[in-house]
Amino acid sequence: VQGMEVGITMQIKNYNGSLALSVSQCGCNVKDLVISLDGGASWFYQGLINAFEDHIRAAVEKAIPENIIDGTSKLDSLLQSLPRSVNLNNVSALNMSFVNDPQYGNSSIEFDINGLFSPAIAKISNLQKHPQLSLSCGGASKMLLLSLDEAVFNSALEVYFKAGSMHWIVDNVPDQSLLNTASWKFIIPRLYWSYPNDDMLLNISMASSPMMRITSKKIGATINADMIIDVLHDTETIPVACISVVVSASGVAEAAGNKVYGKVKLDNFSLSLKWSKIGNFHMSLIQ
């Protein structure tokens, strides 16, 4: 075969959250086809082959597109069999449904995936579309560019919050004396008078799902938590006060080579007393 050209035009469309592949055009052109036989009565069959050369060329030009189209149908079945939801653990699942049709660039193709977290037992019913997020590679050639909207992070935080996973018992701190009532006898006198020299622990739980905000310059987060002070008195665990904690922090993430690193700073930190069994005390000193 000399000078064979094969052309194919395919379309990838979003179909109910999956990708559907179809062939709109496919053709093959053979410039020249030479078949040579050797030995035996080849001189006789060679004449027949030469006579039917145009028919053989036409059969080749027909068979190649048919095989390509058959192969693309198998690829289409594979694309549509991709899972629309992947369980990450027994708490959360990741919505892998495609949204919008693929976007084609000069040398790239962009796929938009829902990407939101949901409870592992929940069924994904509808597709949520979010504003387009345009990012630039800075002119560098990239094999793969992955962009995540802040809604992805916030959906994950909300799922784990509703599952009750954002709850911690703190019974060990760098300065362990802080978890003893004796260290607070001058700041919270009634705590020491009621429970002298008793150990304490902090029962911390999120009051609401944390919120993240992502801009082109930084990543910000606001955390609202309730911190209950428990006193370990004899064999009892006695809650004596609840403090509302509001923390605002921001940071940046950067990549260097094959490593990702970042830094975070505390923007704001405030405490307020929600309820107390040991009287009122100065939150500014606690803070």
Side-chain angles (χ1 to χ4, degrees):
V1 176
Q2 298 174 344
M4 181 175 69
E5 294 182 353
V6 178
I8 181 171
T9 302
M10 296 182 294
Q11 288 183 332
I12 302 179
K13 295 284 189 179
N14 175 30
Y15 179 73
N16 291 334
S18 296
L19 294 179
L21 176 66
S22 62
V23 177
S24 57
Q25 292 182 347
C26 186
C28 175
N29 178 58
V30 177
K31 183 178 180 181
D32 196 13
L33 179 69
V34 178
I35 302 177
S36 298
L37 303 180
D38 294 315
S42 59
W43 60 271
F44 175 72
Y45 296 112
Q46 188 71 54
L48 293 177
I49 289 176
N50 293 339
F52 289 98
E53 181 178 341
D54 291 341
H55 295 280
I56 296 174
R57 182 192 295 114
V60 171
E61 292 177 340
K62 179 183 178 183
I64 290 178
E66 289 177 348
N67 279 272
I68 292 177
I69 293 174
D70 181 62
T72 55
S73 65
K74 295 178 181 178
L75 180 57
D76 174 59
S77 299
L78 176 63
L79 290 175
Q80 296 198 38
S81 66
L82 294 176
R84 301 188 189 186
S85 178
V86 177
N87 280 351
L88 302 179
N89 47 41
N90 60 351
V91 175
S92 64
L94 187 62
N95 189 333
M96 297 296 293
S97 300
F98 290 91
V99 294
N100 305 322
D101 293 332
Q103 302 294 317
Y104 302 95
N106 292 333
S107 60
S108 65
I109 181 171
E110 175 186 332
F111 297 99
D112 295 333
I113 298 175
N114 181 291
L116 297 183
F117 286 74
S118 62
I121 58 174
K123 294 183 179 180
I124 299 170
S125 57
N126 57 354
L127 304 179
Q128 301 184 37
K129 294 189 177 182
H130 298 281
Q132 293 290 330
L133 179 62
S134 299
L135 295 178
S136 173
C137 291
S141 177
K142 301 291 183 181
M143 291 293 290
L144 176 66
L145 173 66
L146 178 65
S147 63
L148 299 175
D149 190 90
E150 64 182 20
V152 174
F153 299 98
N154 287 328
S155 67
L157 294 171
E158 184 176 3
V159 167
Y160 283 93
F161 168 73
K162 290 182 177 179
S165 301
M166 295 184 178
H167 176 257
W168 302 272
I169 300 294
V170 179
D171 56 5
N172 187 18
V173 294
D175 186 357
Q176 194 63 25
S177 64
L178 292 175
L179 291 182
N180 187 283
T181 57
S183 296
W184 300 93
K185 61 181 177 180
F186 298 116
I187 300 177
I188 314 176
R190 282 188 58 182
L191 173 63
Y192 179 70
W193 295 341
S194 302
Y195 309 99
N197 200 31
D198 280 338
D199 289 330
M200 302 183 299
L201 56 83
L202 305 178
N203 190 337
I204 302 175
S205 59
M206 291 295 173
S208 60
S209 176
M211 292 296 297
M212 292 186 63
R213 302 170 305 280
I214 300 177
T215 67
S216 59
K217 295 182 178 180
K218 66 178 182 179
I219 301 172
T222 302
I223 300 171
N224 292 276
D226 288 336
M227 181 173 64
I228 297 177
I229 302 173
D230 290 334
V231 174
L232 304 178
H233 184 67
D234 294 332
T235 59
E236 293 184 272
T237 300
I238 305 173
V240 295
C242 179
I243 297 175
S244 177
V245 183
V246 180
V247 177
S248 296
S250 62
V252 295
E254 297 182 6
N258 60 351
K259 295 183 179 180
V260 178
Y261 64 96
K263 54 185 178 181
V264 179
K265 69 173 183 177
L266 186 65
D267 294 332
N268 189 36
F269 177 78
S270 63
L271 302 176
S272 59
L273 187 63
K274 293 190 72 172
W275 55 263
S276 172
K277 297 179 182 178
I278 50 176
N280 197 6
F281 43 88
H282 298 288
M283 292 307 303
S284 59
L285 298 177
I286 306 293
Q287 184 165 316

